[in-house]
Amino acid sequence: MPETISSRAITFSNWRDPLKLSTIEIPASPEENQVLVKTEAVSVNPIDIIIRLFCPPWFFSSNKIVGGDFSGTVIKAGSKTTYKPSDKVYGSVFNPFGATGSFSEYLLFDPQEATFCNKIPEGMPFTKAAALPVVAGTALQALEAHSEPLKDANVLILGAGTSIGYYAIQIAKNYYGAKFVAATCSSKSFERLIQAGASKLIDYTKGTTHEVNDILEAVKGHGKFDVVIDIVRDGSLFGYLDAVLKPKSEGGMFVEINAMKKMDYNHLNLLSMAPSWTYLYEYYKSWLGFSSFQFTNISEVKDPQFGGVIEKLWGEGKLDVAIDSVWDFATEYEKAFERVSSGKVQGKVMLTTGTSESE
Ligand SMILES: NC(=O)c1ccc[n+]([C@@H]2O[C@H](COP(=O)([O-])OP(=O)(O)OC[C@H]3O[C@@H](n4cnc5c(N)ncnc54)[C@H](OP(=O)(O)O)[C@@H]3O)[C@@H](O)[C@H]2O)c1
């Protein structure tokens, strides 16, 4: 029998089973392509809640470990990895269809197979590093979907009060050098989004007419947008996109991120996740070549650019990491999930293991 380490992990087995703290056994010696990491912090993403809510009893034969995002310290590294003990790392081991996940005191994984695994930039606390992978990675990939360079571009972000929106603003402005970044959000998010670099804020809670008029006004003043990134399935602009987006000959693109319109995760059903008819109409119109702009959707995948982008922005002091709240991993995980379920978080909800300095 190989030597194992006991690791406390947050798990469930299906939608009827509440989250629970379990103890699992992990091999203590990594294989040559694996690292063994002592987890310091993890962040709760909406998808972590959704996976449990829709998980049928027959799907996982054993307990499923929740989560994807993590930060921690390498304690053992296989000979074929680029890591060594004491390296501080962060990343995502998100695995929706498998039993593994990041909400465990120890993680054993192959960094090449993880969605992300990078060394933490100098001076970045564990809590901030674990807040980034899924949301900042999705923001980067939504901007990367645009094939033209975004320097001096006009960017519109729908639902910028989300964590993804927060990083989309910062990456567009501070990494790509976009000129004008307009963002829709509620007035609660105004202050932090201005600090993040938004050029113009539009309060979507005042209604569709107000939102569309404000966006058309921005087009009059600054020209059409190079890219619109939709993080909240906001259909308000459907029917106006020709007037808002540059033509595809100039790279005009609408990027949708397969999000949900309703962010109250206490009252979700399958319909909340389904795209609207107007969305499908725009998608297939573009696919068939009948739109003046390009309409696309993305889901986060592995991205070799991610670590370098974060390292550069952090090193230049141009990246703010927003934390909504920090909870204890072993005793407060239910409160952390309740907080994310409200759909009102302003930054990431974190769990820390408290075994080492996380700030
Ligand atoms: N495609 C992918 O790979 C991928 C990856 C990660 C996440 N996602 C999805 O992306 C979405 C955002 O995730 P996140 O973690 O960034 O969100 P989040 O941080 O949990 O977003 C919370 C914020 O969203 C805003 N909001 C809530 N309801 C809204 C609405 N109806 N319209 C506009 N804004 C609203 C609120 O800010 P205001 O007060 O300013 O409205 C709230 O503070 C989720 O649906 C998630 O499932 C997709």
Side-chain angles (χ1 to χ4, degrees):
M1 275 284 279
E3 191 197 337
T4 61
I5 315 181
S6 297
S7 176
R8 289 181 302 172
I10 298 164
T11 65
F12 68 89
S13 56
N14 61 66
W15 66 273
R16 280 182 287 210
D17 185 23
L19 292 175
K20 56 183 180 282
L21 194 65
S22 310
T23 299
I24 56 170
E25 294 298 319
I26 292 177
S29 300
E31 290 174 13
E32 57 186 12
N33 56 340
Q34 291 181 318
V35 287
L36 181 65
V37 170
K38 170 74 196 72
T39 308
E40 298 292 346
V42 295
S43 69
V44 185
N45 281 291
I47 192 68
D48 301 326
I49 296 172
I50 295 164
I51 286 178
R52 187 182 75 81
L53 284 181
F54 293 105
C55 179
W58 43 264
F59 199 81
F60 293 114
S61 53
S62 60
N63 280 336
K64 154 81 182 154
I65 304 173
V66 185
D69 288 348
F70 73 92
S71 65
T73 308
V74 174
I75 51 173
K76 285 184 189 171
S79 57
K80 289 203 172 153
T81 70
T82 55
Y83 298 95
K84 59 179 187 332
S86 86
D87 279 345
K88 295 176 173 183
V89 291
Y90 73 120
S92 171
V93 290
F94 181 60
N95 179 12
F97 305 115
T100 57
S102 66
F103 288 24
S104 171
E105 288 173 314
Y106 292 90
L107 301 175
L108 181 69
F109 63 95
D110 177 350
Q112 296 288 338
E113 283 182 3
T115 317
F116 297 117
C117 183
N118 290 100
K119 290 187 184 153
I120 297 179
E122 191 66 36
M124 184 185 280
F126 283 117
T127 313
K128 291 194 175 181
L132 287 169
V134 164
V135 286
T138 307
L140 175 65
Q141 287 177 22
L143 289 162
E144 282 173 338
H146 191 266
S147 51
E148 306 289 323
L150 285 171
K151 176 137 181 56
D152 294 330
N154 289 342
V155 176
L156 171 62
I157 298 164
L158 304 175
T162 57
S163 289
I164 296 175
Y166 193 63
Y167 298 110
I169 293 173
Q170 296 184 69
I171 295 169
K173 266 291 226 228
N174 302 338
Y175 186 75
Y176 287 112
K179 183 177 66 185
F180 177 70
V181 180
T184 69
C185 60
S186 81
S187 57
K188 271 192 300 172
S189 299
F190 275 14
E191 200 180 320
R192 66 193 183 93
L193 297 197
I194 287 289
Q195 276 167 13
S199 322
K200 179 180 172 66
L201 297 175
I202 296 152
D203 187 347
Y204 71 86
T205 64
K206 290 188 175 166
T208 304
T209 310
H210 171 90
E211 182 180 333
V212 172
N213 286 342
D214 260 17
I215 292 170
L216 293 173
E217 204 53 43
V219 171
K220 265 193 212 152
H222 299 269
K224 288 186 180 181
F225 287 95
D226 294 83
V227 60
V228 175
I229 294 177
D230 179 9
I231 304 166
V232 288
R233 288 238 159 107
D234 180 348
S236 311
L237 280 181
F238 293 166
Y240 299 91
L241 287 174
D242 287 332
V244 167
L245 270 166
K246 287 184 180 171
K248 57 183 155 199
S249 56
E250 293 174 37
M253 183 179 262
F254 188 98
V255 184
E256 210 269 350
I257 67 143
N258 293 318
M260 269 171 302
K261 189 159 179 57
K262 202 169 146 86
M263 295 224 211
D264 172 359
Y265 303 101
N266 288 311
H267 301 99
L268 271 192
N269 54 43
L270 279 175
L271 271 182
S272 344
M273 292 196 281
S276 65
W277 290 115
T278 45
Y279 163 82
L280 291 172
Y281 173 76
E282 291 291 351
Y283 182 84
Y284 284 107
K285 196 170 112 189
S286 168
W287 190 67
L288 292 167
F290 294 128
S291 299
S292 64
F293 51 87
Q294 200 181 332
F295 191 99
T296 191
N297 67 2
I298 62 129
S299 277
E300 192 199 29
V301 288
K302 276 172 93 72
D303 184 349
Q305 306 303 321
F306 177 73
V309 173
I310 295 299
E311 176 117 35
K312 181 172 191 297
L313 289 176
W314 179 260
E316 291 172 353
K318 291 181 180 166
L319 179 70
D320 180 61
V321 181
I323 304 288
D324 175 89
S325 49
V326 182
W327 307 85
D328 179 68
F329 177 83
T331 58
E332 295 182 314
Y333 59 89
E334 284 157 319
K335 289 181 188 156
F337 274 76
E338 272 167 33
R339 177 80 193 127
V340 178
S341 294
S342 72
K344 294 184 177 144
V345 293
Q346 301 263 297
K348 274 283 144 225
V349 171
M350 310 302 301
L351 294 169
T352 53
T353 54
T355 50
S356 152
E357 192 192 1
S358 53
E359 281 306 320

